[in-house]
Amino acid sequence: MIIKLLLLAVVVYVIYLFFFRDGGFSKKIDKDDSETMVDCEKCGVYISVKDAIIKDGKYYCSKECAKLS
Ligand SMILES: [Zn+2]
């Protein structure tokens, strides 16, 4: 009886791990999307999209570059 309960616990644990890993994987994909690298229109420095300044549909690494061009 105790062995059956232990087996059930292990099965539940494995299923839990499977879904947990699956969720973590999806999260990682989303993170990768937000960290797509783009180059600054002015100086050509590579920056992640989330850190970039977008002006007139172009990416800039800093406010200075966005202002100068
Ligand atoms: Zn720049």
Side-chain angles (χ1 to χ4, degrees):
M1 190 63 175
I2 291 169
I3 290 168
K4 279 186 179 177
L5 282 173
L6 280 173
L7 275 172
L8 185 69
V10 168
V11 168
V12 169
Y13 182 64
V14 168
I15 290 168
Y16 172 78
L17 275 184
F18 179 78
F19 280 106
F20 183 75
R21 258 180 62 185
D22 199 43
F25 185 69
S26 299
K27 212 174 181 181
K28 196 183 174 190
I29 294 284
D30 291 338
K31 197 186 171 192
D32 287 344
D33 282 346
S34 69
E35 287 181 357
T36 303
M37 300 302 282
V38 292
D39 56 334
C40 173
E41 192 69 27
K42 181 71 181 176
C43 66
V45 163
Y46 278 94
I47 29 136
S48 63
V49 167
K50 66 176 181 180
D51 292 331
I53 293 164
I54 301 164
K55 187 185 170 189
D56 301 328
K58 290 170 181 176
Y59 295 105
Y60 298 94
C61 68
S62 64
K63 285 176 183 175
E64 275 186 21
C65 281
K67 210 186 290 177
L68 286 168
S69 56

